[in-house]
Short mmCIF file of all heavy atoms in Angstrom, two decimals:
data_model
loop_
_atom_site.label_atom_id
_atom_site.label_comp_id
_atom_site.label_asym_id
_atom_site.label_seq_id
_atom_site.Cartn_x
_atom_site.Cartn_y
_atom_site.Cartn_z
N LEU A 973 163.66 95.79 92.61
CA LEU A 973 162.24 95.74 93.03
C LEU A 973 161.89 94.43 93.61
O LEU A 973 161.25 94.22 94.59
CB LEU A 973 161.28 96.12 91.87
CG LEU A 973 159.81 96.14 92.22
CD1 LEU A 973 159.50 97.23 93.35
CD2 LEU A 973 159.00 96.54 90.98
N LEU A 974 162.43 93.32 92.97
CA LEU A 974 162.28 91.96 93.50
C LEU A 974 162.79 91.87 94.92
O LEU A 974 162.20 91.23 95.79
CB LEU A 974 162.86 90.93 92.56
CG LEU A 974 162.32 90.70 91.25
CD1 LEU A 974 162.95 89.47 90.56
CD2 LEU A 974 160.78 90.52 91.31
N TRP A 975 163.95 92.50 95.14
CA TRP A 975 164.57 92.46 96.48
C TRP A 975 163.64 93.13 97.42
O TRP A 975 163.44 92.64 98.59
CB TRP A 975 165.95 93.06 96.45
CG TRP A 975 166.58 93.14 97.81
CD1 TRP A 975 167.26 92.15 98.42
CD2 TRP A 975 166.58 94.24 98.72
NE1 TRP A 975 167.70 92.53 99.62
CE2 TRP A 975 167.28 93.82 99.86
CE3 TRP A 975 166.06 95.54 98.71
CZ2 TRP A 975 167.51 94.67 100.96
CZ3 TRP A 975 166.23 96.38 99.78
CH2 TRP A 975 166.95 95.94 100.88
N GLN A 976 163.08 94.27 97.06
CA GLN A 976 162.20 94.93 97.97
C GLN A 976 160.95 94.15 98.30
O GLN A 976 160.41 94.17 99.49
CB GLN A 976 161.78 96.37 97.39
CG GLN A 976 162.91 97.36 97.31
CD GLN A 976 162.57 98.59 96.56
OE1 GLN A 976 162.28 98.63 95.35
NE2 GLN A 976 162.50 99.71 97.33
N PHE A 977 160.36 93.45 97.30
CA PHE A 977 159.22 92.67 97.45
C PHE A 977 159.55 91.46 98.41
O PHE A 977 158.78 91.11 99.23
CB PHE A 977 158.69 92.16 96.15
CG PHE A 977 157.89 93.18 95.32
CD1 PHE A 977 157.85 93.16 93.99
CD2 PHE A 977 157.11 94.16 96.03
CE1 PHE A 977 157.11 94.09 93.27
CE2 PHE A 977 156.36 95.05 95.32
CZ PHE A 977 156.37 95.03 93.93
N GLU A 978 160.75 90.85 98.20
CA GLU A 978 161.11 89.76 99.02
C GLU A 978 161.19 90.23 100.46
O GLU A 978 160.79 89.48 101.45
CB GLU A 978 162.46 89.23 98.60
CG GLU A 978 162.91 88.02 99.29
CD GLU A 978 164.21 87.39 98.84
OE1 GLU A 978 164.72 87.97 97.81
OE2 GLU A 978 164.68 86.41 99.40
N GLU A 979 161.76 91.37 100.71
CA GLU A 979 161.84 91.88 102.12
C GLU A 979 160.48 92.10 102.74
O GLU A 979 160.25 91.98 103.96
CB GLU A 979 162.53 93.27 102.06
CG GLU A 979 164.05 93.16 101.73
CD GLU A 979 164.79 92.68 103.03
OE1 GLU A 979 164.80 93.37 104.06
OE2 GLU A 979 165.43 91.62 102.94
N ALA A 980 159.43 92.40 101.88
CA ALA A 980 158.13 92.61 102.39
C ALA A 980 157.18 91.29 102.37
O ALA A 980 156.05 91.34 102.69
CB ALA A 980 157.36 93.60 101.49
N GLY A 981 157.87 90.18 101.96
CA GLY A 981 157.16 88.95 101.92
C GLY A 981 156.18 88.75 100.73
O GLY A 981 155.16 88.04 100.80
N ILE A 982 156.42 89.50 99.64
CA ILE A 982 155.58 89.46 98.49
C ILE A 982 156.20 88.62 97.36
O ILE A 982 157.33 88.90 96.97
CB ILE A 982 155.32 90.92 97.96
CG1 ILE A 982 154.55 91.69 99.08
CG2 ILE A 982 154.46 90.91 96.75
CD1 ILE A 982 154.47 93.17 98.76
N VAL A 983 155.45 87.65 96.86
CA VAL A 983 155.91 86.78 95.74
C VAL A 983 155.97 87.60 94.45
O VAL A 983 154.96 88.30 94.15
CB VAL A 983 155.04 85.55 95.54
CG1 VAL A 983 155.45 84.79 94.36
CG2 VAL A 983 155.11 84.73 96.81
N ALA A 984 157.10 87.70 93.71
CA ALA A 984 157.18 88.44 92.53
C ALA A 984 158.23 87.82 91.55
O ALA A 984 159.10 87.05 92.06
CB ALA A 984 157.54 89.89 92.81
N ALA A 985 158.19 88.15 90.37
CA ALA A 985 159.19 87.71 89.39
C ALA A 985 159.27 88.61 88.14
O ALA A 985 158.23 89.33 87.83
CB ALA A 985 158.78 86.25 88.81
N VAL A 986 160.47 88.73 87.56
CA VAL A 986 160.57 89.50 86.31
C VAL A 986 160.21 88.45 85.22
O VAL A 986 160.81 87.48 85.05
CB VAL A 986 162.05 89.97 86.11
CG1 VAL A 986 162.17 90.64 84.75
CG2 VAL A 986 162.43 90.96 87.19
N ILE A 987 159.10 88.88 84.46
CA ILE A 987 158.63 87.92 83.48
C ILE A 987 158.92 88.39 82.01
O ILE A 987 158.62 87.57 81.08
CB ILE A 987 157.07 87.66 83.61
CG1 ILE A 987 156.35 88.96 83.46
CG2 ILE A 987 156.80 87.08 85.07
CD1 ILE A 987 154.81 88.78 83.39
N GLY A 988 159.42 89.57 81.80
CA GLY A 988 159.62 89.94 80.46
C GLY A 988 160.11 91.42 80.41
O GLY A 988 160.70 91.95 81.41
N ARG A 989 159.97 92.05 79.28
CA ARG A 989 160.46 93.39 79.04
C ARG A 989 159.61 94.12 78.09
O ARG A 989 158.80 93.57 77.31
CB ARG A 989 161.94 93.33 78.51
CG ARG A 989 161.94 92.61 77.12
CD ARG A 989 163.39 92.53 76.60
NE ARG A 989 163.46 91.82 75.35
CZ ARG A 989 163.22 92.39 74.18
NH1 ARG A 989 162.99 93.69 74.11
NH2 ARG A 989 163.29 91.71 73.05
N ILE A 990 159.83 95.44 78.00
CA ILE A 990 159.13 96.27 76.99
C ILE A 990 159.90 96.25 75.74
O ILE A 990 161.14 96.38 75.72
CB ILE A 990 158.99 97.73 77.52
CG1 ILE A 990 158.19 97.80 78.80
CG2 ILE A 990 158.40 98.68 76.44
CD1 ILE A 990 156.74 97.33 78.65
N ARG A 991 159.21 96.13 74.55
CA ARG A 991 159.86 96.01 73.24
C ARG A 991 159.87 97.37 72.62
O ARG A 991 159.14 98.32 72.97
CB ARG A 991 159.05 95.06 72.39
CG ARG A 991 159.21 93.59 72.81
CD ARG A 991 158.30 92.75 71.99
NE ARG A 991 158.49 92.84 70.54
CZ ARG A 991 159.28 92.00 69.86
NH1 ARG A 991 159.90 90.97 70.52
NH2 ARG A 991 159.48 92.13 68.57
N GLU A 992 160.72 97.49 71.58
CA GLU A 992 160.83 98.71 70.74
C GLU A 992 159.70 98.82 69.78
O GLU A 992 159.25 99.95 69.44
CB GLU A 992 162.17 98.78 70.03
CG GLU A 992 163.36 98.93 70.87
CD GLU A 992 164.65 99.12 70.11
OE1 GLU A 992 164.49 99.23 68.82
OE2 GLU A 992 165.70 99.15 70.75
N ASP A 993 159.09 97.74 69.36
CA ASP A 993 157.93 97.77 68.40
C ASP A 993 156.61 97.56 69.20
O ASP A 993 156.66 97.60 70.50
CB ASP A 993 158.04 96.70 67.33
CG ASP A 993 158.27 95.25 67.97
OD1 ASP A 993 157.71 95.06 68.98
OD2 ASP A 993 158.88 94.46 67.34
N GLN A 994 155.56 97.47 68.58
CA GLN A 994 154.20 97.30 69.17
C GLN A 994 153.73 95.89 69.36
O GLN A 994 152.67 95.66 69.79
CB GLN A 994 153.21 98.05 68.35
CG GLN A 994 153.38 99.59 68.30
CD GLN A 994 153.22 100.22 69.69
OE1 GLN A 994 152.23 99.94 70.37
NE2 GLN A 994 154.15 101.07 70.12
N ASP A 995 154.61 94.90 69.00
CA ASP A 995 154.23 93.47 69.18
C ASP A 995 154.11 93.07 70.66
O ASP A 995 154.97 93.46 71.49
CB ASP A 995 155.18 92.55 68.51
CG ASP A 995 155.25 92.77 66.98
OD1 ASP A 995 154.23 93.23 66.44
OD2 ASP A 995 156.20 92.35 66.35
N ARG A 996 153.08 92.30 71.00
CA ARG A 996 152.83 91.80 72.33
C ARG A 996 152.96 90.23 72.30
O ARG A 996 152.04 89.60 71.82
CB ARG A 996 151.54 92.25 72.86
CG ARG A 996 151.59 93.79 73.16
CD ARG A 996 150.33 94.45 73.03
NE ARG A 996 150.51 95.93 72.92
CZ ARG A 996 149.54 96.76 72.79
NH1 ARG A 996 148.26 96.37 72.83
NH2 ARG A 996 149.82 98.09 72.61
N ILE A 997 154.08 89.72 72.73
CA ILE A 997 154.43 88.36 72.45
C ILE A 997 154.67 87.55 73.72
O ILE A 997 155.19 88.09 74.69
CB ILE A 997 155.70 88.33 71.61
CG1 ILE A 997 155.53 88.99 70.22
CG2 ILE A 997 156.21 86.92 71.40
CD1 ILE A 997 156.88 89.21 69.50
N VAL A 998 154.25 86.31 73.71
CA VAL A 998 154.54 85.37 74.84
C VAL A 998 155.33 84.22 74.16
O VAL A 998 154.89 83.64 73.13
CB VAL A 998 153.24 84.84 75.47
CG1 VAL A 998 153.62 83.76 76.48
CG2 VAL A 998 152.42 85.93 76.06
N THR A 999 156.44 83.90 74.74
CA THR A 999 157.27 82.83 74.28
C THR A 999 157.26 81.64 75.25
O THR A 999 157.09 81.83 76.45
CB THR A 999 158.75 83.25 74.07
OG1 THR A 999 159.31 83.67 75.31
CG2 THR A 999 158.85 84.44 73.07
N ASN A 1000 157.40 80.47 74.72
CA ASN A 1000 157.51 79.17 75.44
C ASN A 1000 158.64 78.33 74.81
O ASN A 1000 158.30 77.58 73.94
CB ASN A 1000 156.24 78.47 75.53
CG ASN A 1000 156.17 77.25 76.50
OD1 ASN A 1000 157.15 77.12 77.27
ND2 ASN A 1000 155.29 76.44 76.40
N GLY A 1001 159.86 78.55 75.25
CA GLY A 1001 160.95 77.91 74.48
C GLY A 1001 161.06 78.56 73.13
O GLY A 1001 161.19 79.72 72.95
N GLU A 1002 161.09 77.64 72.13
CA GLU A 1002 161.10 78.16 70.72
C GLU A 1002 159.78 78.56 70.17
O GLU A 1002 159.73 79.15 69.14
CB GLU A 1002 161.67 77.02 69.83
CG GLU A 1002 163.10 76.55 70.26
CD GLU A 1002 164.09 77.63 70.01
OE1 GLU A 1002 163.98 78.38 68.99
OE2 GLU A 1002 164.98 77.83 70.91
N GLU A 1003 158.71 78.28 70.93
CA GLU A 1003 157.39 78.68 70.46
C GLU A 1003 157.04 80.15 70.78
O GLU A 1003 157.40 80.67 71.85
CB GLU A 1003 156.33 77.67 71.10
CG GLU A 1003 154.97 77.75 70.47
CD GLU A 1003 154.03 76.74 71.06
OE1 GLU A 1003 154.42 76.09 72.00
OE2 GLU A 1003 152.88 76.75 70.62
N LYS A 1004 156.39 80.76 69.84
CA LYS A 1004 156.04 82.19 70.08
C LYS A 1004 154.71 82.48 69.47
O LYS A 1004 154.34 82.05 68.42
CB LYS A 1004 157.15 83.09 69.31
CG LYS A 1004 156.86 84.52 69.37
CD LYS A 1004 158.09 85.36 68.94
CE LYS A 1004 158.21 85.26 67.38
NZ LYS A 1004 159.34 86.16 66.89
N ARG A 1005 153.84 83.20 70.27
CA ARG A 1005 152.54 83.53 69.90
C ARG A 1005 152.27 84.99 70.24
O ARG A 1005 152.85 85.55 71.18
CB ARG A 1005 151.52 82.65 70.54
CG ARG A 1005 151.45 81.27 70.09
CD ARG A 1005 150.88 81.08 68.61
NE ARG A 1005 150.84 79.76 68.19
CZ ARG A 1005 151.77 79.00 67.70
NH1 ARG A 1005 153.00 79.51 67.51
NH2 ARG A 1005 151.56 77.78 67.33
#
């Protein structure tokens, strides 16, 4: 999908993934909230 967006001139990034549990987490190095 990133390649398709790049072809269309759209800025995009893979920023994470879906988890098996219900936790919604943001990490910053070793820090997690």
Side-chain angles (χ1 to χ4, degrees):
L973 186 56
L974 289 190
W975 178 82
Q976 291 176 293
F977 282 149
E978 185 178 354
E979 288 286 297
I982 297 168
V983 173
V986 175
I987 63 171
R989 62 180 178 86
I990 299 295
R991 290 172 59 94
E992 292 187 5
D993 55 31
Q994 294 293 311
D995 292 341
R996 292 155 197 176
I997 297 171
V998 177
T999 63
N1000 185 16
E1002 297 298 318
E1003 193 176 1
K1004 180 169 69 174
R1005 290 290 186 275

